[in-house]
Amino acid sequence: MLVAGLSLALGSCDREAANPAQEQGALAGAKQSLVGEIDTARAGELLPAMNVTDLGGKVLNLGALQGQPVLLNVWATYCAPCVVEMPMLDDLADDLDGKVRVLTVSQDLQGGEVVAPFFAKMNFRNLEPWMETNGELGFALASGVLPTTVLYDSSGQEVWRVVGDYDWSGAEAREAILAAVENTG
C-alpha cells in the first residue's frame, strides 16, 4: 500500500509542466511562501547507496560520501518551488564554506537535456548538476515530494529533512545545519 501511494505521488511529479520554469526575477517574492519544516522523524537512516551522474557521465555513489556532512536536495527543473530553492542552496553552499557538502540531484526524466541549460542559465557558483533520472532516489528517501532535502551527518546518517519548499536563505536554516553538524561531528 505504501509503495502504491509513493508510486502515485512520485508519478505525479514526473508530469512536467507545459510552460518552462519561471524566470528567477518572477520568483523573488516566492520566498515568502516557503513553508516546509524541519522533521527529525527519520533521523538515523542511512544515506542511500545509489549512483547519480553528472553531465559528463561521471558517476557518484551517494553511499560513499561518508566523512563529511551532506545536505542532499532532490529537485526537478519543472518544479517551481525547486527552482526558487536552487539559488538559495547555491548561496548556502558558499556560506557553509566546505563544512557541509550541498548536493543537488535532479529527478528530471530528460536528464542533461533539461538540466544542462538550466545550470547554464542560472550560472551557479557552488552547485554541480547531478542527476538520477529513474526516480529511485525519491523512493529510497521514502518521499514522493519535490523538493525533498535531507541533512546527513559525517557518518552518513540522517539528522533531519525538509519535505517541500523551505527558505534556505534564512538564519534558521544555517543555524539548524551548523548545530546538527557540531552535535554529530
Side-chain angles (χ1 to χ4, degrees):
M1 188 69 147
L2 176 62
V3 172
L6 286 173
S7 295
L8 289 173
L10 193 56
S12 67
C13 293
D14 289 341
R15 290 191 201 103
E16 296 190 26
N19 298 327
Q22 299 173 0
E23 295 293 325
Q24 191 60 31
L27 299 173
K31 282 195 228 179
Q32 297 172 354
S33 64
L34 301 176
V35 296
E37 295 182 8
I38 291 173
D39 178 10
T40 59
R42 300 181 84 80
E45 292 189 11
L46 290 177
L47 182 63
M50 297 184 64
N51 290 335
V52 297
T53 58
D54 71 4
L55 294 172
K58 178 181 169 185
V59 176
L60 172 67
N61 186 304
L62 298 177
L65 294 175
Q66 294 181 11
Q68 178 183 24
V70 174
L71 185 68
L72 174 66
N73 173 266
V74 182
W75 70 286
T77 59
Y78 58 85
C79 166
C82 300
V83 172
V84 171
E85 283 188 343
M86 292 294 281
M88 290 186 275
L89 289 166
D90 190 51
D91 290 343
L92 179 65
D94 194 42
D95 291 347
L96 294 173
D97 193 29
K99 293 181 181 97
V100 176
R101 180 173 184 178
V102 178
L103 187 70
T104 59
V105 180
S106 166
Q107 296 286 271
D108 284 282
L109 297 175
Q110 296 86 3
E113 183 182 319
V114 293
V115 173
F118 178 79
F119 265 73
K121 176 181 168 185
M122 300 303 287
N123 197 30
F124 295 122
R125 297 176 316 280
N126 302 290
L127 301 181
E128 301 170 75
W130 293 102
M131 301 167 289
E132 190 279 311
T133 60
N134 297 325
E136 294 174 13
L137 184 55
F139 284 113
L141 296 175
S143 177
V145 176
L146 293 176
T148 292
T149 307
V150 184
L151 179 65
Y152 293 95
D153 64 18
S154 59
S155 65
Q157 292 187 328
E158 181 171 331
V159 178
W160 50 253
R161 66 176 53 201
V162 175
V163 176
D165 49 8
Y166 190 73
D167 183 1
W168 297 105
S169 66
E172 177 185 345
R174 284 167 181 74
E175 290 168 9
I177 292 167
L178 292 174
V181 169
E182 291 169 4
N183 289 333
T184 61

